[in-house]
Amino acid sequence: MREFYINGNEKGQRFDKYLKKLLSGAPNGFLYKMLRKKNIVLNGKRADGTEKLCAGDHVKLFLSDETFEKFSGADAAQSEFSRLRDLRPQVPLKVIFEDADVIVIDKPAGMLSQKAVPSDISANEYILHTLIARGELTEEMLRTFRPSVCNRLDRNTSGLLIAGKTLKGLQETSEALKSRSIQKYYRCLVKGEVKECSHIDGWLAKDVQTNRVTVLPEAAENAVRIETEYRPVRTENGYSELEVHLITGRSHQIRAHLASVGHPILGDFKYGDSILNRRLKQKLQVDSQMLHAYRIVFADGREITAPCGEEFERVWRYFVALM
């Protein structure tokens, strides 16, 4: 017999969903059969799986050790936990803000937010590694809840990345991002002199095969509406630093939208000026776009910022000096 108590990261979900995580290798039919036969009970009573779990609920599994081990995926869970625990981050995880439910890091350029294929090591894995090293995330907890990033940044975009450490943090932050009650601001270096604030909109169409987007002036099939605001921070000799308010958060929105109005981001090899970008790579060995998730404003007025960094300033000085 195995028993478990529901914690704060597991409450609120249906009982059958929880069981499918706990016994990830078990067929659905087996789980419902065990519920009917009272081999799995909730708070000492028969359950059908539709119950909403509450913190402190008591789950008992009257299964043999062999059956539990067979269906729990214990070996895979242990292997995943060990892999995350033993990661050796290439750069220290720079934590900008943290409370009981969320953690905000300054992601460096060149690092994925989340892995695209199983072999990738992303910022999300480094966050999990940190929580495990602190003792805040155990192997048992990882079986039924996996902390995760709430927003995404392109691999070569640096800056503020928010992750939910708890189910509450993950759900509330994801909803706030979806409803736009969290405001996101970026800094970028662009070609051209921008001397006035601007609000631009349009429609964004994505080619999944090439992972490239196109900005359209009017609605079209499979295109989504986009809105972007920006203001100049400094302008000199043909280049500008902008603060961009990302009103709608679409894939590659800032990069493609600014390029479409004649202000491509320096270092952006997909949508930018190829001549300037080659010069940037040859002279400064920089091959990331100068785009940084700089500031987050929460609904309650709290602000979090992450400085743009030395490379950002080095690129600015180089291009301004060219003129």
Side-chain angles (χ1 to χ4, degrees), residues 42-79:
L42 178 62
N43 296 324
K45 300 178 181 178
R46 182 196 296 261
D48 64 14
T50 62
E51 297 80 5
K52 289 286 187 178
L53 295 176
C54 298
D57 279 350
H58 186 200
V59 179
K60 285 187 178 180
L61 279 61
F62 295 96
L63 305 174
S64 68
D65 290 343
E66 292 80 6
T67 300
F68 180 82
E69 294 298 330
K70 175 183 177 183
F71 290 135
S72 69
D75 290 344
Q78 186 178 49
S79 176

Side-chain angles (χ1 to χ4, degrees), residues 2 5 11 14 40 61 71 87 120 133 138 146 171-172 175 178 189 191-192 208-209 237 266-267 285 295 309:
R2 301 290 179 102
Y5 288 91
K11 69 179 182 180
R14 279 174 49 128
I40 299 177
L61 279 61
F71 290 135
L87 277 180
D120 285 338
T138 66
R146 187 183 183 94
Q171 290 179 335
E172 290 184 354
E175 179 56 35
K178 184 178 179 181
L189 301 181
K191 178 183 178 182
V208 178
Q209 299 297 321
N237 293 333
L266 300 180
Q285 291 74 54
R295 182 162 63 103

Side-chain angles (χ1 to χ4, degrees), residues 86-305:
D86 297 337
L87 277 180
R88 294 293 178 265
Q90 296 177 342
V91 294
L93 194 68
K94 189 174 182 180
V95 178
I96 301 298
F97 170 82
E98 186 173 8
D99 61 19
D101 297 305
V102 301
I103 182 171
V104 183
I105 69 164
D106 185 357
K107 184 189 82 68
M111 180 184 290
L112 288 167
S113 297
Q114 287 185 312
K115 59 184 180 181
V117 297
S119 59
D120 285 338
I121 302 297
S122 70
N124 203 74
E125 274 66 50
Y126 288 139
I127 290 170
L128 292 171
H129 165 78
T130 298
L131 296 178
I132 289 171
R134 294 176 181 172
E136 296 179 35
L137 182 63
T138 66
E139 182 181 335
E140 183 174 318
M141 292 165 64
L142 193 60
R143 290 187 185 186
T144 54
F145 174 74
R146 187 183 183 94
S148 178
V149 298
C150 305
N151 63 316
R152 291 193 182 189
L153 300 176
D154 293 337
R155 181 196 288 266
N156 289 321
T157 297
S158 58
L160 295 170
L161 189 67
I162 315 172
K165 293 168 54 178
T166 64
L167 182 62
K168 175 187 176 184
L170 183 58
Q171 290 179 335
E172 290 184 354
T173 304
S174 296
E175 179 56 35
L177 288 166
K178 184 178 179 181
S179 67
R180 304 179 194 170
S181 61
I182 290 179
Q183 304 295 311
K184 296 181 290 182
Y185 296 84
Y186 292 69
R187 290 287 178 93
C188 60
L189 301 181
V190 302
K191 178 183 178 182
E193 294 194 357
V194 179
K195 297 184 178 180
E196 296 182 350
C197 300
S198 184
H199 176 284
I200 53 178
D201 57 20
W203 297 82
L204 197 73
K206 184 173 183 178
D207 185 330
V208 178
Q209 299 297 321
T210 63
N211 191 33
R212 187 182 178 91
V213 302
T214 303
V215 177
L216 308 173
E218 298 178 348
E221 186 177 0
N222 298 322
V224 293
R225 187 169 177 78
I226 56 172
E227 289 185 77
T228 310
E229 288 182 338
Y230 59 85
R231 68 173 183 86
V233 176
R234 52 183 170 174
T235 296
E236 190 174 347
N237 293 333
Y239 299 93
S240 301
E241 178 181 350
L242 307 180
E243 179 168 280
V244 181
H245 179 201
L246 188 63
I247 299 175
T248 56
R250 306 296 185 181
S251 178
H252 299 182
Q253 177 180 324
I254 294 176
R255 298 161 59 191
H257 216 175
L258 288 177
S260 75
V261 295
H263 297 299
I265 295 175
L266 300 180
D268 185 352
F269 283 84
K270 182 165 284 191
Y271 304 103
D273 184 309
S274 58
I275 295 175
L276 289 178
N277 293 337
R278 282 198 298 271
R279 184 185 298 169
L280 183 64
K281 188 170 184 177
Q282 291 170 357
K283 299 295 184 181
L284 300 182
Q285 291 74 54
V286 172
D287 54 8
S288 296
Q289 61 257 12
M290 294 297 102
L291 178 62
H292 179 78
Y294 172 75
R295 182 162 63 103
I296 293 173
V297 181
F298 292 94
D300 61 7
R302 287 178 299 143
E303 291 193 17
I304 300 171
T305 61

